[in-house]
Amino acid sequence: MHTHASRFTLSALALALLPSYPASAQSPQLEEVVVTAQLRTQSLQDVPIAVAAMSGEKMDDLGILDLEELTQFIPNVNINQGRATPNLFIRGVGSGTNAGFEQSVGMYIDRVYSGRGALANVPITLDLARVEVLKGPQGILFGKNTIGGAVNISTNKPTQELSGRVEALWDPDHGEQVYTGIVSGGLSERVAGRLAVRYEGMDGWWDNRALDEEGPDMDNLFIRGGVLWDISDRAELWLKYEYGDFETSAAPSVVYQSDQPLNFQGDRPFPIIDERDEGAQDYSDIRDTRTDTLKATLDWELDFATFTSVTAFSQYELESNANSDIAATPSLNRELSEDYEQLSQELRFVSPGGETLDWIAGAYYQASELDISRFNDALDFALSGPTAVADLIGLGEGRPTVFDQESTSWAVFGQATWNITDSFRGTLGLRYNEEEKTLDKVTDSRGVLGARGTSLGSPELIVYTNPASGILIGDLRSHSFTDLKRTEEEVTWSANLQWDVGEDTMLYASVSTGFKGGGYDEAYSNAGETVRTGNLFTGEPDGGVIETGITADEIEYDEETVIAYEVGAKMGLADGAATLNFAVFRMEYEDLQVSSLVGDVFRVGNAGEAISQGLEIDGRWALTPSLTLGGSIAYLDATYDEFLGATCTVPQSTDPVNNPGCLRDDGSNIAPGESGGQDLSGETLLFSPEWSANVNLDYFTPISDSLEFRMTVDVNYTDEFYSALDLDPNTLHDSATRINARLALANAEDTWSVALVGKNLTDEKTQVWRNDVALTASNSYFAVPERPRSIAIQARYQF
């Protein structure tokens, strides 16, 4: 795979030649990139952290509507919706597919933690000042769960000066329409307001043959309103409210490999139609989400520091239907209802800066409540053909599951920078965290489930007990764990040294720690502490009870910790016309939290140890006043240092003789019919391509006294990677190169522009997610495909 790096030889050579660029009074200058990664407004080149940043204006120009598109431009970062929950991965570290997980990569919108489910999926590229992606653990200054990195998003504040923008984007091929309106201005001498609205609609580009529908069919509305009150010359209060209503139906998924067995009715559950544009599902994937966020930020300049208070309340309501069997038959169709509320408060003091000792001190509190309920619309595993799990059929209407979790956490933190000399400084940070979670989790399948006698091929033959043990079949999928509680406390710290070697070169070295709290498996759907026995033919309980040996520990997983090391340099070159930055890193994780597909659900646990290490290089070069070249490249070696008992692949489980690797506890291969686990020690982490890179070019030129031509071209490369935890070779994502471009005509005052925005111009076929199909032992695999080539017209007017 190292040969892929040769594709970027030209860019690397250009960056290597930067020191010899001739300096002169006429040399072009790069615009300074400003970030707030350390709670101060700083130049990106002065921050001792590997940070990738993009302005809101740049995202608007590129037609970027969500973080999934944004991260195509940032090597070693992968954010996507996935199949069930969002995937946020940085340097191969992220959270798996389980609603009980917190995100390893923390997302913060104006300093408010937005890491859960739907809050991480809103079209937050609307009216932004910038997005900063901080790589590696950020366990001191950010509020919660930043063990893998942080996405720091800043929206635009209200302004006294009247300004506004209207924009429309239209893609006729996919029926995509995006309308944006923004207005900002003074409401009184000391009060300013800002309103931003975006509507997104799409007919889709994927056809579901089974239901004769097109998708993804989107209908999204997002509104952000804010008021900024200058209380005095030293204090201001910013109030902000966000509302979102997002509806998506016919979400695409395709079966790309299958032995295509017939089920007992003679139906073909997994027809292969197309690897991207067409599929066949009997049940439409639908998501309907409403979000509300209210935030109040008070900034007060005191004589010795700036005091900031950030108070926020967030909530969302999510209703979804999922074709969980990925089949054209009703083997397993689910409804989900998810409600979440979060209240947070952050208080901090930040010293003015520029002193011998610069410091930050603060406290953070968060309380949340998460309620999740699932309901099976259809449950007949035999309709998927040969099954890999217990052969069950749904009877009656079924009962919703219960997952009610309450969580409270608080922390105190501090960071101090000692400016030892004008060119040398050291920083220490410390944070104390406490978190408590309580849970009620109940699944009642008794009287709802039975077993089908598929060997007789008769759908009418139903038994309610296991003929060998007399156990009621429904009890094998029922449990009641209530009043569970876990409490944990953790201290995280960081230290770094910075040395300004020259006026434009800074070297740094850092070591830091981080942690992510443990929790409970939301998807657990097996038996509880006891099961009942009953009459083989009537299904009536006979009073017998059998201890299963299962306790609440079965659904609990531990916290995850990391220690990370990084050395890097940030250099200004060519008399301000160029920058070149690099970082070398190593992150050592213990008790890595993982989620893997076992039968029909994603189960969670802790994977032992993992190491993520590599090299990242990025740079920009203003070749002329009108032409800027940028690029970044990353090498990543992210592997499990120890991971015993990982989920076996379906071929290993169903045909262990020809597919060895599923092992007993003694290390020998299992025999047919036995269960076991893989040893994935030394194997790759998920979403961790060995090489990834971006090359981008910005160009503009006058074509008359009043008109300009503008062009942006970017090439994004990703090496092969896995998204399925069992690392089945059939789920490996191929390497891919995607090319995007924007061609625009604008007036010299930049009040209006008309552009063509092209994405994935070479029509590369890529997927955000690959996995084996649940339930079946038929060597079947599915993918969530990404959008094909799109070309849209974008028009903008601003004042």
Side-chain angles (χ1 to χ4, degrees):
M1 289 188 288
H2 294 266
T3 56
H4 297 310
S6 62
R7 302 187 184 193
F8 306 97
T9 302
L10 182 59
S11 175
L13 179 60
L15 291 172
L17 293 175
L18 287 178
S20 63
Y21 185 87
S24 72
Q26 305 301 318
S27 296
Q29 298 289 302
L30 284 174
E31 183 177 352
E32 183 182 39
V33 178
V34 174
V35 297
T36 57
Q38 297 192 114
L39 300 181
R40 302 178 188 273
T41 301
Q42 297 173 286
S43 168
L44 176 66
Q45 296 302 107
D46 294 333
V47 178
I49 304 171
V51 182
M54 183 178 289
S55 69
E57 181 181 3
K58 179 70 171 178
M59 285 182 278
D60 290 337
D61 287 345
L62 296 174
I64 293 174
L65 302 177
D66 54 39
L67 288 182
E68 184 172 326
E69 290 185 319
L70 173 63
T71 55
Q72 293 179 12
F73 296 77
I74 309 174
N76 275 351
V77 178
N78 193 319
I79 298 178
N80 63 76
Q81 171 56 36
R83 174 63 187 172
T85 58
N87 292 305
L88 290 81
F89 280 75
I90 295 179
R91 294 174 174 172
V93 176
S95 297
T97 303
N98 189 282
F101 276 141
E102 305 284 355
Q103 290 292 349
S104 299
V105 176
M107 183 180 299
Y108 301 84
I109 305 175
D110 294 325
R111 291 295 299 181
V112 177
Y113 177 67
S114 302
R116 269 224 60 90
L119 294 177
N121 284 332
V122 300
I124 47 180
T125 59
L126 170 65
D127 195 28
L128 299 187
R130 65 191 165 273
V131 173
E132 306 162 15
V133 179
L134 290 65
K135 300 178 181 180
Q138 310 295 324
I140 307 301
L141 299 181
F142 287 86
K144 189 174 171 61
N145 295 327
T146 53
I147 194 167
V151 181
N152 188 31
I153 298 167
S154 299
T155 66
N156 285 315
K157 285 185 174 182
T159 58
Q160 278 288 340
E161 181 182 1
L162 181 63
S163 62
R165 186 173 93 235
V166 290
E167 183 176 297
L169 183 144
W170 178 51
D171 174 3
D173 288 340
H174 302 156
E176 182 183 28
Q177 303 175 65
V178 182
Y179 303 105
T180 302
I182 302 168
V183 63
S184 182
L187 303 177
S188 70
E189 185 178 350
R190 286 193 171 272
V191 179
R194 191 178 191 96
L195 178 66
V197 180
R198 173 174 289 167
Y199 170 79
E200 300 177 7
M202 181 186 290
D203 295 334
W205 44 266
W206 174 81
D207 291 321
N208 184 352
R209 289 278 192 87
L211 297 178
D212 191 25
E213 63 180 6
E214 188 177 26
D217 189 334
M218 294 194 308
D219 189 12
N220 298 338
L221 176 65
F222 188 59
I223 301 172
R224 180 188 297 124
V227 174
L228 184 64
W229 176 25
D230 287 331
I231 303 172
S232 69
D233 293 339
R234 306 188 71 176
E236 68 175 27
L237 177 65
W238 180 20
L239 300 176
K240 185 187 72 169
Y241 172 70
E242 294 177 336
Y243 168 82
D245 188 357
F246 315 109
E247 298 179 14
T248 302
S249 62
S253 63
V254 297
V255 176
Y256 62 87
Q257 178 178 318
S258 178
D259 290 342
Q260 296 190 328
L262 300 180
N263 64 19
F264 69 93
Q265 291 181 335
D267 301 323
R268 192 174 299 281
F270 307 111
I272 299 175
I273 301 175
D274 186 272
E275 63 184 31
R276 180 179 64 192
D277 299 330
E278 294 180 301
Q281 298 185 15
D282 71 293
Y283 194 67
S284 182
D285 282 319
I286 299 173
R287 293 176 66 89
D288 189 351
T289 309
R290 173 178 168 170
T291 64
D292 297 272
T293 300
L294 180 63
K295 181 192 77 95
T297 301
L298 173 67
D299 287 311
W300 184 12
E301 292 186 15
L302 306 173
D303 291 338
F304 65 96
T306 298
F307 169 73
T308 299
S309 167
V310 182
T311 308
F313 173 77
S314 303
Q315 70 171 15
Y316 68 79
E317 299 173 358
L318 168 65
E319 302 287 338
S320 72
N321 295 345
N323 187 51
S324 299
D325 51 30
I326 321 295
T329 55
S331 302
L332 180 59
N333 297 332
R334 286 172 168 160
E335 296 179 17
L336 177 141
S337 175
E338 183 174 334
D339 295 330
Y340 179 73
E341 294 184 354
Q342 172 185 300
L343 176 66
S344 63
Q345 175 67 61
E346 183 176 25
L347 303 173
R348 65 176 183 267
F349 293 88
V350 179
S351 70
E355 306 293 332
T356 301
L357 187 69
D358 298 329
W359 55 270
I360 298 171
Y364 180 80
Y365 172 81
Q366 179 177 305
S368 64
E369 183 175 350
L370 173 65
D371 298 328
I372 300 175
S373 179
R374 298 180 185 269
F375 179 87
N376 293 327
D377 265 357
L379 180 63
D380 190 350
F381 294 175
L383 291 175
S384 287
T387 59
V389 293
D391 185 16
L392 301 178
I393 179 173
L395 303 176
E397 296 181 353
R399 297 183 177 94
T401 65
V402 174
F403 184 91
D404 293 344
Q405 177 179 278
E406 295 184 3
S407 174
T408 59
S409 63
W410 66 272
V412 291
F413 59 91
Q415 180 172 289
T417 299
W418 178 21
N419 295 293
I420 303 169
T421 69
D422 290 341
S423 61
F424 190 71
R425 53 201 169 275
T427 300
L428 292 174
L430 190 68
R431 187 182 188 100
Y432 173 78
N433 308 266
E434 279 195 13
E435 183 168 10
E436 179 180 280
K437 291 180 179 177
T438 59
L439 176 71
D440 291 336
K441 180 171 181 358
V442 179
T443 295
D444 187 359
S445 299
R446 295 177 296 185
V448 179
L449 301 177
R452 178 191 297 280
T454 55
S455 60
L456 300 179
S458 172
E460 290 78 23
L461 179 60
I462 300 170
V463 293
Y464 293 84
T465 58
N466 186 317
S469 64
I471 294 173
L472 295 177
I473 294 294
D475 281 33
L476 295 177
R477 290 259 170 165
S478 298
H479 56 264
S480 179
F481 299 118
T482 59
D483 297 324
L484 303 185
K485 180 183 291 187
R486 59 172 291 120
T487 302
E488 54 201 11
E489 57 184 56
E490 194 78 24
V491 175
T492 55
W493 55 268
S494 67
N496 69 65
L497 295 174
Q498 290 178 260
W499 178 28
D500 297 330
V501 179
E503 183 177 351
D504 298 317
T505 300
M506 183 267 287
L507 305 180
Y508 69 91
S510 68
V511 57
S512 59
T513 63
F515 95 106
K516 184 175 71 163
Y520 299 100
D521 182 359
E522 185 274 332
Y524 180 80
S525 61
N526 283 348
E529 296 179 354
T530 62
V531 293
R532 301 170 301 164
T533 60
N535 184 281
L536 177 64
F537 299 103
T538 67
E540 292 295 324
D542 60 12
V545 175
I546 298 176
E547 299 285 338
T548 63
I550 296 173
T551 67
D553 292 342
E554 183 77 14
I555 68 169
E556 189 171 356
Y557 54 88
D558 294 329
E559 63 267 26
E560 173 182 317
T561 61
V562 65
I563 183 167
Y565 310 90
E566 185 169 303
V567 295
K570 298 193 174 182
M571 297 176 284
L573 304 169
D575 198 25
T579 60
L580 181 63
N581 306 326
F582 76 84
V584 179
F585 62 90
R586 178 182 172 91
M587 304 187 297
E588 300 174 357
Y589 287 85
E590 292 189 1
D591 296 321
L592 193 70
Q593 296 169 3
V594 295
S595 173
S596 56
L597 185 62
V598 180
D600 59 315
V601 296
F602 286 90
R603 300 276 163 72
V604 303
N606 296 86
E609 300 176 0
I611 294 175
S612 174
Q613 57 190 359
L615 168 68
E616 296 165 344
I617 302 173
D618 68 83
R620 292 188 302 150
W621 187 3
L623 298 168
T624 72
S626 61
L627 180 63
T628 301
L629 173 69
S632 54
I633 186 169
Y635 168 75
L636 181 62
D637 176 22
T639 59
Y640 298 105
D641 193 47
E642 179 185 344
F643 190 6
L644 303 176
T647 305
C648 296
T649 67
V650 171
Q652 288 173 336
S653 299
T654 58
D655 187 8
V657 175
N658 295 312
N659 300 279
C662 193
L663 309 175
R664 303 185 183 98
D665 291 340
D666 62 6
S668 60
N669 283 297
I670 64 169
E674 292 183 331
S675 61
Q678 288 192 81
D679 180 2
L680 293 183
S681 304
E683 299 296 333
T684 181
L685 299 183
L686 304 186
F687 296 104
S688 55
E690 186 176 19
W691 290 98
S692 54
N694 164 266
V695 177
N696 57 83
L697 192 70
D698 284 331
Y699 174 73
F700 71 92
T701 184
I703 57 177
S704 73
D705 291 340
S706 59
L707 293 178
E708 285 185 354
F709 171 74
R710 301 173 183 176
M711 179 181 70
T712 300
V713 179
D714 63 87
V715 181
N716 306 300
Y717 171 78
T718 303
D719 214 342
E720 58 189 20
F721 64 91
Y722 284 97
S723 59
L725 188 65
D726 60 10
L727 303 187
D728 189 324
N730 295 298
T731 65
L732 181 66
H733 293 248
D734 295 331
S735 60
T737 302
R738 282 167 288 202
I739 301 174
N740 308 313
R742 180 179 186 265
L743 307 177
L745 185 67
N747 67 339
E749 293 79 19
D750 199 27
T751 57
W752 65 264
S753 64
V754 178
L756 285 177
V757 179
K759 301 176 184 178
N760 190 16
L761 292 176
T762 57
D763 202 27
E764 190 92 353
K765 293 186 176 181
T766 58
Q767 305 88 30
V768 300
W769 178 263
R770 282 187 164 198
N771 214 320
D772 52 277
V773 171
L775 312 182
T776 182
S778 63
N779 196 33
S780 298
Y781 298 87
F782 80 99
V784 177
E786 290 189 283
R787 187 174 174 179
R789 175 175 49 233
S790 66
I791 298 178
I793 301 170
Q794 182 189 63
R796 178 188 303 161
Y797 174 75
Q798 55 191 10
F799 59 91

